[in-house]
């Protein structure tokens, strides 16, 4: 029984931040489905998430013209967890009482169903579902509360204690369920399907668990691994890494600021010298964090190697692909397309951006610090109040789906969004499904256009959750291949709505190039992260890596995906240690390709929406979202005439999604005289 100990938060700009949330609760951050194996472990933590230096979309709290000082947290809405979960505070005795009851329920579950699934599968699934719902609500509350108070060591300790209790319950009383379900004979399963139509409605969940059969170890070994996980595995180290990452501080202009603030400044500065200075401060500051990061990554990669060996997985990504229900061949095809067609389009775009920045900002040298630089043209405002951001998202959603617009406003009105950027708060952004009580969004809002885009993205996840909740906790999570559908589509709808309201070619070019920045970060950047992981994991099989080994692998991934120095970027200065704050590497190895997968699938979906004038599209998309995890990506996308399993799909998607916008941006830049 393989479990994924993860929860993804996401970060800004092109940097990704993930939050490790111990053993497993049905909590979706930036939407991701938990492993099929972990899925059969109650209290599953499913993730979502993300962004890192060069990332993509789900989270990012990157600013344009962001203020240096920390935002006043009390001026912006905070989520009201106590209202929705019913606890007074994280130390409420009711939480401990609930955990005692759950412990008793887990013991009863084992005594009732261990060794009896061949005849009692339906009551076992129903009992398991009830357990999962209760445990998920309780642990989700603690994890969400902790994410706004990461500097509170008492609360972090409280969360750890509860997660250890969960780990013991799961190991001692629940491990048998997924293993015995996976081993159940097809004959016994079919006989129970015939006897109970209700059981057949759980077939997607059952099939998901049974896919892991050939990779499971003995029940005794699985139990031993599970019970030790919270104490000895890589999880405690990655949690320490995440906590230390959240507390990093940097000196900028005589003040101590957090990473979020610096990245906001970097992503919003229209001054090349300032960008270069910020990039240096960030990279130099991260050098002191290299040993902590190296320790964690060595632990993670080492554990991954042993797991793959013991469970006989075919290649490095097979375990992740299995948990995502994606064939190895489809992922390989995606990565190959991005490394060829995607990299070509990436270099073409940054050559365009280099020319535009030289023409409009007098740029002399195009460096890594300029990669996400905003343009100094146009008259459109790039600052928004929270009320304005809400109205932009509402208006954009309403253009496409009044249903989703209504769900979005429900999240706002019910205080399900923690808005402000604040010290001691998890970085980036995510949406937690928190089944039974959710969804909840964590943002780091500083009033930028990117923050508005992030709100549109995370709200898409929230809408997806709310639409799929009727499937029940075991089946509402969409597969990773579809988990970003609502979020990225919602983001695209809002972007197109704003783009259509631009009044000058300069404003239109600014918006187009900002969007292309996002797409390149979601697709090419994330696949470069995947390549970095590949190098690290291959080397780790031969022994531990030193910090300089990680730096070399990072540099190689940059060169392979962005070209040698001088080809497009004149300098990769001050990039050597940016690998140190990409939490996905620690919490969800080989997860990052999912962002490229999702972005290109949704880009293709949007192409269908445009080509058919939207006729009947909304209801088809809502049906896809309502299905949750009951359909795989092939069946779910068939009504739209799309099939990502086809070898040519990814190259075609890259050209249609990225190539079309890039062509328009080039034409506008030429029209405005920015190309030499």
């Amino acid at each position: 029984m393989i479990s994924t100990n993860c929860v993804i938060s996401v970060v800004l700009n092109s940097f990704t931040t993930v939050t490790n949330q111990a053993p497993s609760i049905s909590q979706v951050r930036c939407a991701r489905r938990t492993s099929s194996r972990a899925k059969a472990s109650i209290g599953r933590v499913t993730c979502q998430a993300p962004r890192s230096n060069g990332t993509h979309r789900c989270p990012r709290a990157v600013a344009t013209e962001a203020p240096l000082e920390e935002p006043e947290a009390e001026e912006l809405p905070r989520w009201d967890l106590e209202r929705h979960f019913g606890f007074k505070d994280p130390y409420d005795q009711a939480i401990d009482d609930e955990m005692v009851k759950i412990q008793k329920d887990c013991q009863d579950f084992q005594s009732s169903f261990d060794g009896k699934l061949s005849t009692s599968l339906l009551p076992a699934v129903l009992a398991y579902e009830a357990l999962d719902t209760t445990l998920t609500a309780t642990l989700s509350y603690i994890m969400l509360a902790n994410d706004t108070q990461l500097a509170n060591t008492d609360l972090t300790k409280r969360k750890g204690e509860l997660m250890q209790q969960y780990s013991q319950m799961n190991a001692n009383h629940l491990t048998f369920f997924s293993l015995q379900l996976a081993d159940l004979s097809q004959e016994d399963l079919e006989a129970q399907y015939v006897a109970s139509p209700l059981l057949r409605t759980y077939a997607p969940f059952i099939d998901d668990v049974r896919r892991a059969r050939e990779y499971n170890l003995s029940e005794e070994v699985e139990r031993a691994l599970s019970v030790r996980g919270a104490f000895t595995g890589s999880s405690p180290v990655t949690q320490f890494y995440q906590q230390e990452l959240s507390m990093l501080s940097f000196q900028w202009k005589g003040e101590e600021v957090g990473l979020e603030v610096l990245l906001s400044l970097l992503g919003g500065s229209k001054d090349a010298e300032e960008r270069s200075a910020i990039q240096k401060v960030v990279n130099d500051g991260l050098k002191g964090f290299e040993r902590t990061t190296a320790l964690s990554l060595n632990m993670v990669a080492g554990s991954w190697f042993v797991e793959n060996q013991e469970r006989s997985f075919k290649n490095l990504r097979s375990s992740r692909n299995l948990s995502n229900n994606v064939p190895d061949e489809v992922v390989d095809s995606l990565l190959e397309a991005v490394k060829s067609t995607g990299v070509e389009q990436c270099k073409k775009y940054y050559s365009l951006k280099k020319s535009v920045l030289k023409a409009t900002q007098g740029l002399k040298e195009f460096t890594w610090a300029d990669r996400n630089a905003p343009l100094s043209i146009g008259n459109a405002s790039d600052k928004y109040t929270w009320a304005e951001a809400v109205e932009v998202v509402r208006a954009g959603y309403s253009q496409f789906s009044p249903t989703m617009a209504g769900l979005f406003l429900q999240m706002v009105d019910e205080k399900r969004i923690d808005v402000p950027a604040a010290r001691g708060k998890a970085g980036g952004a995510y949406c937690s499904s928190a089944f039974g009580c959710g969804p909840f969004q964590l943002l780091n809002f500083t009033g930028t256009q990117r923050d508005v885009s992030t709100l549109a993205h995370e709200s898409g996840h929230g809408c997806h959750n709310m639409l799929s909740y009727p499937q029940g906790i075991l089946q509402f999570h969409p597969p990773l291949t579809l988990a970003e559908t609502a979020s990225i589509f919602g983001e695209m709808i809002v972007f197109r709505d704003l783009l259509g309201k631009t009044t000058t070619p300069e404003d239109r070019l600014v918006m187009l190039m900002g969007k292309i920045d996002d797409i390149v970060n979601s697709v090419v950047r994330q696949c470069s992260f995947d390549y970095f992981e590949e190098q690290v994991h291959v080397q780790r099989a031969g022994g531990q890596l030193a910090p300089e080994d990680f730096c070399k692998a990072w540099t190689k991934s940059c060169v392979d995906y962005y070209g040698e120095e001088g080809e497009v970027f004149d300098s990769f200065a001050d990039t050597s240690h940016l690998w140190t704050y990409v939490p996905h590497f620690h919490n969800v190895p080989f997860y990052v390709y999912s962002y490229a997968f999702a972005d290109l699938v949704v880009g293709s979906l949007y192409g269908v929406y445009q080509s058919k004038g939207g006729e009947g599209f909304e209801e088809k998309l809502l049906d896809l979202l309502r299905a949750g995890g009951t359909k795989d990506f092939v069946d779910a996308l068939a009504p739209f005439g799309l099939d990502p399993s086809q070898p040519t799909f990814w190259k075609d998607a890259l050209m249609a999604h990225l190539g079309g916008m890039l062509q328009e941006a080039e034409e506008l830049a030429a029209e405005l005289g920015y190309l030499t």
Side-chain angles (χ1 to χ4, degrees), residues 105-216:
D105 290 343
C106 287
Q107 292 171 346
D108 291 345
F109 177 79
Q110 182 178 24
S111 63
S112 298
F113 301 110
D114 192 353
K116 303 171 186 176
L117 297 187
S118 61
T119 56
S120 304
L121 184 55
L122 177 60
V125 169
L126 295 176
Y128 183 84
E129 185 174 44
L131 271 173
D132 199 354
T133 301
T134 304
L135 187 55
T136 289
T138 304
L139 296 184
S140 289
Y141 170 69
I142 288 294
M143 296 165 87
L144 291 168
N146 184 240
D147 273 358
T148 58
Q149 305 177 59
L150 291 176
N152 184 336
T153 55
D154 288 339
L155 182 52
T156 299
K157 180 181 178 182
R158 167 76 162 159
K159 184 188 84 169
E161 291 169 347
L162 291 171
M163 296 311 297
Q164 286 185 8
Q165 288 181 42
Y166 158 72
S167 179
Q168 298 295 302
M169 291 181 212
N170 181 55
N172 292 323
H173 307 298
L174 303 176
T175 298
F176 81 91
F177 180 67
S178 62
L179 297 173
Q180 292 180 19
L181 177 54
D183 287 339
L184 188 65
S185 75
Q186 191 63 32
E187 182 181 5
D188 285 340
L189 178 60
E190 290 297 337
Q192 293 186 79
Y193 276 155
V194 171
S196 173
L198 178 58
L199 179 63
R200 193 174 288 279
T201 65
Y202 288 92
F205 163 72
I206 293 170
D207 292 344
D208 206 8
V209 173
R210 287 168 67 80
R211 266 192 294 273
R213 178 176 181 172
E214 65 179 292
Y215 306 106
N216 288 336

Side-chain angles (χ1 to χ4, degrees), residues 7 21 180 183 618:
V7 174
Q21 306 289 27
Q180 292 180 19
D183 287 339
E618 178 195 4

